[in-house]
Amino acid sequence: MGCVTPDADTIDHAAVVAWIRRFAAEIDEHRAELVRLDTAIGDGDHGTNMDRGMRKVVEKLDGAAGDDIGALLKAAGMALVSSVGGAAGPLYGTLFLQMGSATGGAATLDTAGLTQALEAGLRGVQARGKAEPGDKTMVDALVPAVEALHRAQSDGVAVGEAARLAAAAAEEGMKATIPMEARKGRASYLGPRSVGHQDPGATSSYLLLRSAAEAFANT
Amino acid sequence: MGCVTPDADTIDHAAVVAWIRRFAAEIDEHRAELVRLDTAIGDGDHGTNMDRGMRKVVEKLDGAAGDDIGALLKAAGMALVSSVGGAAGPLYGTLFLQMGSATGGAATLDTAGLTQALEAGLRGVQARGKAEPGDKTMVDALVPAVEALHRAQSDGVAVGEAARLAAAAAEEGMKATIPMEARKGRASYLGPRSVGHQDPGATSSYLLLRSAAEAFANT
Amino acid sequence: MKKLINAPDAVVREALEGMELAYPDRLRVSYDPAYIVRADAPVAGKVGIISGGGSGHEPMHGGFVGPGMLDGACPGEVFTSPTPDQMMAATKAVDGGSGVVHIVKNYTGDVMNFEMAADLAGEEGIPVEVVVTNDDVAVQDSLYTAGRRGVGITVIAEKICGAAAEERRSVVDVAELGRRVNAEGRSMGMALTACTTPSSGEPSFVLGDDEMEIGIGIHGEPGRYREPLAPASVVVDRLASAVVEDLPYSSGDQVLAMVNGMGGTPLIELFIVYRELHAFLEERGITITRPLVGNYITSLEMAGCSITLLRLDDELTRLWDAPVNTPALRWGA
Amino acid sequence: MKKLINAPDAVVREALEGMELAYPDRLRVSYDPAYIVRADAPVAGKVGIISGGGSGHEPMHGGFVGPGMLDGACPGEVFTSPTPDQMMAATKAVDGGSGVVHIVKNYTGDVMNFEMAADLAGEEGIPVEVVVTNDDVAVQDSLYTAGRRGVGITVIAEKICGAAAEERRSVVDVAELGRRVNAEGRSMGMALTACTTPSSGEPSFVLGDDEMEIGIGIHGEPGRYREPLAPASVVVDRLASAVVEDLPYSSGDQVLAMVNGMGGTPLIELFIVYRELHAFLEERGITITRPLVGNYITSLEMAGCSITLLRLDDELTRLWDAPVNTPALRWGA
Ligand SMILES: Nc1ncnc2c1ncn2[C@@H]1O[C@H](COP(=O)(O)OP(=O)(O)O)[C@@H](O)[C@H]1O
Ligand SMILES: Nc1ncnc2c1ncn2[C@@H]1O[C@H](COP(=O)(O)OP(=O)(O)O)[C@@H](O)[C@H]1O
Ligand SMILES: [Mg+2]
Ligand SMILES: [Mg+2]
Ligand SMILES: [Mg+2]
Ligand SMILES: [Mg+2]
């Protein structure tokens, strides 16, 4: 699917569909790893939860027409909310719902549009979950990604490259959760014993950004 | 306790007390082995059951006076009946009760007396449990022991030596249970899978005869 | 061995003490000899019903003591039949002048000890009727063996005899009813894991990670055969086929179906087993009119389940539905 | 992984089907979205009470649906909070016109999903009151963490709120009562073994043969600390000390004491634990006036137990004693 023209300044509906499919594929592929990470400091269901949800999202996509990126992201958010459960359901659901609200009616997104969308999603996640950076959650992957997007936007970077930079920042953010002591979510029950483990939600959030980078990259 | 004079033709109350104590000690010592044998083809409690019972018997002995061997054996039987439970409780209880009936009022036993006593006990066990030789039970150790005593009696063998012969026969009988398929008791549920294991009750019955041989031997 | 206990040889006594403390208004416990009776025993004019057997099968039998079910229970050591003096003392404690029924699971030890107790009771002039349960189709029945084991139907017989006794039926009637329940009932069990008695400290048998044991007893006895781990539908097919074909149960029958956990199986799995059993019976035209799903006759911490069917008629259904008020089975009260 | 299941991802659905088949007269089950309501829901004029959470804790919550307790329950996947659409559908199904109370265990996922559901219900004009339980003293409570977990007190809050709703008290009253129960209740649990979710297939943590884990959660979360296996008396001392000191409970208090099995622990052990707890409390002048011993809030096949205390007054005692008629808790009916 050539949804992005080389060095394109914008992504379209098809590119966002490709992003979501790519994310679903990454989750499927890393399901066991996410379960293992969540077993170490949680209850071992993060991979299963996200996989169940992304399958539902992809089912919905199969019937998705039109060019409204906002509607697409909202539909994904609704599917996640009603199929994932656990902490990830409301959090990823809200992330997508808020990205959808921020992009309502848009047929294309440039770097600024993508930045606004992810920032709105992050704000939604923080409003819902009350986590701050450093609490060892998905927020720790999303915050650097949003920051990287802002930098890319002021530097006039095209959206495909911006997504790549955001993914790289999210990866750093994900790795930075390893030495953290969890203060939110199930891992917080472990207190100091949560140190030394990578947060599963930060890991899936990195996969989300990596999927964007891959879907928006020149083909 | 020099309860038996060298080459004595009879045993007295003290010798029977020594027999019972010896049996209790053997059971205590072989408790784990009896449990292991019963785990293989039963429910793993024979050692514990017999040990619990013989401890109670020994407690009773501590207060036993007089010279009535029958009363002594009956008291032991009653203690077994009300403390062992399982199959072994009624069976060993009956064995001792019937040995007691057969020796009621006797202050000494010669080979004939011992033979009659054990034979009465065996009859009681068979009446209670309906086992025949070859069913892979304690009966398979007791029958050859009784037969050996009969032979010893007709050969005019003294009681100490008679007990030794009975113990040797019981040992053979015990070993002969290994290839048998159980037809009585819990091991019978295993059918052919009971083959290749030595019967726990036959093993404790051999210990009973060996204890007699040791207690009645010249010291 | 991982158990919440203090000392292996104190398990039965301390658990009894716990029961007594937990149900002070409902149960009375004697320790030497050990038995449990309902707080208001003996009930004048009512047939008394006692049961008993080795411990390790909780809630059976102590958990079934109360109005509408057992008057008394005699707990033996773990997996070891209790002794005649316990049974005799319990018999006396529950005799309200109308005689006593002994419900006995068919194991050599249980049968012989209860026999001795019945002899003693007879000597004291208490009419005793004995009901021996032997519903386990995993074991071949024959005159020349110990015969089939008593398992799940025991619980149901206790409930139904208990209801009949509350109706003030005679000792002969109540026992006859118990025998009828036994005749119309069949069971079979299986295990995913063995169990460990506190005194032995070792598992009763060893199962591979990918194996299950079909036809196990409730004392950690190994089963009829071993096979690779299979889905619940296959497990139910194994157990229910053997059960249904034995009586046999046939199209048009109405049954009470019990799916029983062996102690270490979570309830969520028992409901999956019940779903499979329902489908299995429905296919054969057999209708479950009374279900019972839970842990009723267990083998310590064994993981696994058993299935028991009882063919129902109006009388048995009515007696099953009658009020019962025990720690482990309670309705209408 | 040894389980009586057909397929890991069919566990919840098939267990629900089993429950529906086992209790056709008492429960109604919806599958998409998944929820269970009492057969006669909604009860006009009565406050509806729903709860919910991940599956794997059976009988909680579905086993507590019925007159005198919950009107509805929303089962999530194993150890995973259900979703807002389930909760919303259940809320609508049980609203008898007097509003609905949501009883929610304090876990990030449960709280957020129920929050979204309450928002949706508000939009539809159904007054919803939320009771969040957080009785687990193993977890440090702080504004800056997820706070204490909701465990055993949830069962008791469901029973007591259910009784109050049957008395036709208002939605605000019923919720207030639930919060009071939570405030007067404390719990702590421990494990001898971990548990394995069907989907992961691996134990949630690994314990040595001679170790136990103190302060575990109900989702296979490891606990506060690990220590060598110890007698039941020591286990109770660990759990009960933490529980009693936290509120604190003090001499003269009358309490409801629940000894709860984690799913793989046989009843005989729970009675030994109860005996120890009784002694522990008696020594401190705390009297158990209402006991509850059994498997009520479990963690799949985990071996272990938890202890919950609720300080009682006359009102709470009366509501606890009121009739309840659910698959897993039943008396007076
Ligand atoms: N309050 C929160 N804010 C943001 N993210 C959170 C919060 N609580 C948990 N998370 C994220 O959710 C992840 C766990 O998700 P998941 O395992 O699906 O849910 P649950 O914890 O309910 O089992 C954690 O790794 C963490 O990144
Ligand atoms: N019917 C019987 N007749 C004679 N001996 C029997 C009979 N049934 C069982 N036994 C003996 O009892 C032994 C088992 O005793 P024990 O383990 O103490 O009782 P249980 O089988 O009730 O656990 C068997 O090894 C066997 O020798
Ligand atoms: Mg998780
Ligand atoms: Mg045995
Ligand atoms: Mg035994
Ligand atoms: Mg979860």
Side-chain angles (χ1 to χ4, degrees):
Chain A
M1 269 187 276
C3 4
V4 197
T5 52
D7 278 309
D9 272 2
T10 61
I11 50 173
D12 61 6
H13 185 271
V16 176
V17 168
W19 175 22
I20 292 173
R21 283 193 196 282
R22 183 79 222 142
F23 182 44
E26 291 271 10
I27 289 290
D28 180 50
E29 195 176 317
H30 294 89
R31 175 186 163 134
E33 184 189 335
L34 293 171
V35 163
R36 214 180 46 248
L37 291 172
D38 195 33
T39 300
I41 56 171
D43 57 354
D45 60 358
H46 188 60
T48 322
N49 291 349
M50 291 301 295
D51 193 40
R52 185 173 55 246
M54 290 311 297
R55 278 165 198 273
K56 268 275 177 302
V57 169
V58 168
E59 265 174 40
K60 290 275 151 65
L61 282 187
D62 289 342
D67 62 1
D68 182 345
I69 293 177
L72 174 64
L73 291 168
K74 270 194 188 162
M78 281 307 299
L80 289 171
V81 164
S82 63
S83 66
V84 175
L91 292 169
Y92 274 99
T94 300
L95 181 75
F96 275 85
L97 285 171
Q98 294 301 321
M99 288 201 296
S101 294
T103 55
T108 60
L109 294 181
D110 57 7
T111 299
L114 182 64
T115 305
Q116 269 171 39
L118 197 71
E119 182 158 34
L122 170 61
R123 267 200 306 272
V125 168
Q126 290 197 271
R128 175 77 50 219
K130 315 273 180 313
E132 295 297 326
D135 284 353
K136 196 180 185 108
T137 69
M138 58 193 285
V139 165
D140 291 305
L142 294 174
V143 163
V146 168
E147 287 167 2
L149 285 177
H150 272 295
R151 276 194 305 276
Q153 184 188 347
S154 16
D155 295 354
V157 172
V159 63
E161 173 63 7
R164 221 191 43 70
L165 293 167
E171 185 171 14
E172 288 309 304
M174 168 189 86
K175 287 184 183 155
T177 63
I178 298 178
M180 291 177 184
E181 178 171 334
R183 279 191 299 260
K184 280 285 178 292
R186 228 177 263 290
S188 69
Y189 304 142
L190 285 179
R193 284 162 82 180
S194 65
V195 169
H197 299 277
Q198 182 170 302
D199 180 61
T203 309
S204 53
S205 287
Y206 159 61
L207 293 178
L208 176 68
L209 274 304
R210 185 165 90 182
S211 305
E214 285 167 357
F216 305 160
N218 302 340
T219 46
Chain B
M1 269 186 278
C3 0
V4 196
T5 53
D7 277 309
D9 272 1
T10 62
I11 48 172
D12 61 5
H13 186 271
V16 177
V17 168
W19 176 22
I20 292 174
R21 284 193 196 282
R22 183 77 221 146
F23 182 44
E26 291 272 8
I27 289 290
D28 179 52
E29 196 177 316
H30 294 89
R31 173 185 165 135
E33 184 189 335
L34 294 171
V35 163
R36 213 177 50 246
L37 291 172
D38 195 33
T39 300
I41 55 170
D43 58 353
D45 59 357
H46 187 59
T48 323
N49 292 347
M50 291 302 295
D51 193 40
R52 184 175 55 247
M54 289 310 297
R55 278 167 198 274
K56 268 275 176 305
V57 169
V58 168
E59 267 176 37
K60 291 275 153 67
L61 282 187
D62 290 342
D67 62 1
D68 181 347
I69 293 176
L72 174 64
L73 290 168
K74 271 196 190 162
M78 282 308 299
L80 289 171
V81 164
S82 63
S83 65
V84 176
L91 292 168
Y92 274 98
T94 300
L95 181 76
F96 275 86
L97 285 172
Q98 293 302 322
M99 288 201 295
S101 293
T103 54
T108 60
L109 294 182
D110 57 8
T111 299
L114 182 63
T115 305
Q116 269 172 38
L118 197 71
E119 182 159 33
L122 169 62
R123 266 200 307 271
V125 167
Q126 290 197 271
R128 176 75 52 218
K130 315 273 183 306
E132 294 298 324
D135 286 351
K136 196 180 184 110
T137 69
M138 59 193 285
V139 166
D140 293 305
L142 293 174
V143 164
V146 169
E147 287 169 0
L149 285 177
H150 272 296
R151 275 195 306 276
Q153 184 188 345
S154 14
D155 296 353
V157 173
V159 63
E161 174 63 7
R164 220 190 42 71
L165 293 167
E171 184 170 16
E172 288 309 303
M174 166 189 86
K175 287 185 184 153
T177 63
I178 299 178
M180 291 177 186
E181 178 171 334
R183 278 191 300 261
K184 281 285 179 292
R186 230 177 260 290
S188 69
Y189 305 142
L190 286 179
R193 284 162 83 180
S194 64
V195 169
H197 299 276
Q198 181 171 304
D199 180 61
T203 309
S204 53
S205 286
Y206 160 59
L207 294 178
L208 176 68
L209 274 304
R210 185 166 89 184
S211 305
E214 287 168 355
F216 304 162
N218 302 337
T219 45
Chain C
M1 176 177 63
K2 292 190 133 180
K3 293 186 184 297
L4 290 168
I5 63 174
N6 289 309
D9 54 8
V11 164
V12 172
R13 188 191 169 95
E14 292 186 356
L16 269 184
E17 288 176 4
M19 273 198 87
E20 182 177 34
L21 291 166
Y23 307 109
D25 312 332
R26 310 170 67 165
L27 304 179
R28 237 168 45 225
V29 177
S30 154
Y31 291 92
D32 194 12
Y35 63 82
I36 304 173
V37 292
R38 51 189 272 194
D40 58 354
V43 181
K46 189 183 90 63
V47 166
I49 304 181
I50 71 166
S51 190
S55 294
H57 309 299
E58 291 65 27
M60 189 180 81
H61 295 277
F64 300 134
V65 173
M69 208 160 169
L70 294 179
D71 293 85
C74 305
E77 286 300 312
V78 172
F79 292 175
T80 300
S81 161
T83 56
D85 55 318
Q86 292 175 258
M87 296 157 184
M88 184 56 207
T91 300
K92 276 197 211 167
V94 306
D95 178 32
S98 304
V100 177
V101 171
H102 289 183
I103 299 182
V104 183
K105 299 187 294 305
N106 187 40
Y107 298 95
T108 305
D110 295 66
V111 169
M112 290 190 303
N113 282 287
F114 267 105
E115 254 170 36
M116 295 181 94
D119 289 352
L120 293 174
E123 283 166 25
E124 300 221 9
I126 305 177
V128 166
E129 284 284 327
V130 180
V131 175
V132 177
T133 58
N134 66 341
D135 52 316
D136 188 351
V137 302
V139 170
Q140 209 143 10
D141 195 9
S142 146
L143 263 181
Y144 306 103
T145 64
R148 284 199 315 235
R149 298 176 287 220
V151 285
I153 207 68
T154 316
V155 175
I156 298 167
E158 290 171 4
K159 165 68 183 83
I160 288 180
C161 288
E166 297 290 349
E167 292 183 348
R168 298 295 186 271
R169 287 167 60 176
S170 76
V171 67
V172 171
D173 265 27
V174 171
E176 214 26 80
L177 195 60
R179 289 181 202 118
R180 186 149 74 83
V181 168
N182 182 61
E184 301 286 325
R186 294 292 187 276
S187 299
M188 186 147 135
M190 60 79 62
L192 295 173
T193 64
C195 59
T196 299
T197 59
S199 69
S200 94
E202 296 295 329
S204 53
F205 52 89
V206 178
L207 266 178
D209 273 355
D210 49 357
E211 290 178 322
M212 59 184 185
E213 184 90 15
I214 305 284
I216 44 107
I218 56 170
H219 303 90
E221 305 100 309
R224 213 198 240 186
Y225 57 94
R226 189 166 290 197
E227 60 174 5
L229 209 60
S233 60
V234 174
V235 169
V236 167
D237 191 72
R238 293 281 186 281
L239 302 183
S241 298
V243 164
V244 164
E245 285 159 19
D246 189 277
L247 190 64
Y249 298 86
S250 44
S251 184
D253 281 351
Q254 301 203 330
V255 297
L256 186 165
M258 173 165 83
V259 168
N260 172 63
M262 302 307 292
T265 295
L267 204 47
I268 192 169
E269 297 179 26
L270 297 183
F271 280 114
I272 294 176
V273 171
Y274 183 77
R275 171 187 185 271
E276 299 303 328
L277 179 62
H278 191 278
F280 179 98
L281 294 175
E282 196 167 54
E283 227 168 72
R284 283 156 185 80
I286 302 166
T287 309
I288 303 178
T289 54
R290 292 294 180 280
L292 189 67
V293 181
N295 289 287
Y296 296 103
I297 165 170
T298 61
S299 282
L300 296 171
E301 77 285 5
M302 179 181 280
C305 70
S306 65
I307 286 175
T308 298
L309 298 186
L310 168 67
R311 182 154 51 198
L312 288 172
D313 57 25
D314 289 349
E315 182 186 32
L316 295 182
T317 304
R318 184 178 55 75
L319 292 167
W320 177 256
D321 289 345
V324 58
N325 186 351
T326 72
L329 213 60
R330 184 167 178 174
W331 53 74
Chain D
M1 176 176 62
K2 291 190 136 181
K3 292 187 185 298
L4 290 170
I5 63 174
N6 289 309
D9 52 10
V11 165
V12 172
R13 186 188 170 96
E14 293 186 356
L16 269 183
E17 289 175 5
M19 274 197 87
E20 183 178 33
L21 291 166
Y23 307 109
D25 313 331
R26 310 170 68 164
L27 304 178
R28 237 167 45 224
V29 176
S30 154
Y31 291 92
D32 193 13
Y35 63 83
I36 304 173
V37 293
R38 52 190 270 194
D40 60 352
V43 181
K46 189 183 87 66
V47 166
I49 305 181
I50 71 167
S51 188
S55 294
H57 309 300
E58 290 66 27
M60 188 181 80
H61 297 279
F64 300 134
V65 173
M69 209 161 168
L70 295 178
D71 293 86
C74 303
E77 287 300 313
V78 173
F79 292 174
T80 301
S81 163
T83 56
D85 55 319
Q86 292 174 259
M87 297 158 183
M88 183 55 204
T91 300
K92 276 196 211 167
V94 307
D95 178 33
S98 303
V100 176
V101 171
H102 289 183
I103 299 183
V104 183
K105 298 186 294 305
N106 187 40
Y107 299 95
T108 305
D110 294 68
V111 169
M112 290 191 302
N113 282 287
F114 266 105
E115 251 169 39
M116 293 181 96
D119 289 352
L120 293 172
E123 282 167 23
E124 300 221 9
I126 304 177
V128 165
E129 284 283 329
V130 180
V131 175
V132 177
T133 58
N134 67 339
D135 52 315
D136 188 351
V137 303
V139 169
Q140 208 142 11
D141 195 9
S142 146
L143 262 182
Y144 305 103
T145 64
R148 283 198 315 236
R149 299 176 287 221
V151 285
I153 205 69
T154 317
V155 175
I156 298 166
E158 290 172 4
K159 165 69 183 83
I160 288 179
C161 288
E166 297 290 349
E167 292 183 349
R168 299 295 187 272
R169 287 167 58 176
S170 75
V171 66
V172 170
D173 264 28
V174 171
E176 214 26 81
L177 195 60
R179 291 181 200 115
R180 187 149 73 83
V181 168
N182 182 62
E184 301 287 326
R186 293 293 187 275
S187 299
M188 187 146 134
M190 60 78 63
L192 293 174
T193 65
C195 58
T196 299
T197 61
S199 68
S200 94
E202 297 294 330
S204 53
F205 53 88
V206 179
L207 266 177
D209 274 355
D210 50 355
E211 290 177 323
M212 60 183 185
E213 183 90 16
I214 305 284
I216 43 108
I218 57 169
H219 303 90
E221 306 100 309
R224 213 197 238 186
Y225 57 94
R226 190 165 289 194
E227 61 174 4
L229 209 58
S233 60
V234 174
V235 169
V236 167
D237 191 74
R238 293 282 185 280
L239 301 183
S241 298
V243 164
V244 164
E245 285 161 18
D246 188 278
L247 189 63
Y249 298 86
S250 43
S251 185
D253 282 350
Q254 300 203 329
V255 298
L256 186 165
M258 173 165 80
V259 168
N260 172 63
M262 302 307 291
T265 295
L267 205 48
I268 192 170
E269 296 178 27
L270 297 183
F271 280 114
I272 294 177
V273 171
Y274 183 78
R275 171 187 185 271
E276 299 303 327
L277 179 62
H278 191 277
F280 179 98
L281 294 175
E282 195 166 55
E283 225 168 74
R284 284 155 187 80
I286 301 166
T287 309
I288 303 178
T289 54
R290 292 294 180 278
L292 189 66
V293 182
N295 288 285
Y296 297 103
I297 166 171
T298 62
S299 283
L300 296 171
E301 76 286 3
M302 180 181 279
C305 70
S306 65
I307 286 174
T308 298
L309 298 185
L310 167 68
R311 182 154 50 198
L312 289 171
D313 57 25
D314 290 348
E315 181 186 33
L316 296 182
T317 303
R318 185 177 55 75
L319 291 167
W320 178 254
D321 288 344
V324 59
N325 185 352
T326 73
L329 214 60
R330 184 167 177 174
W331 54 74

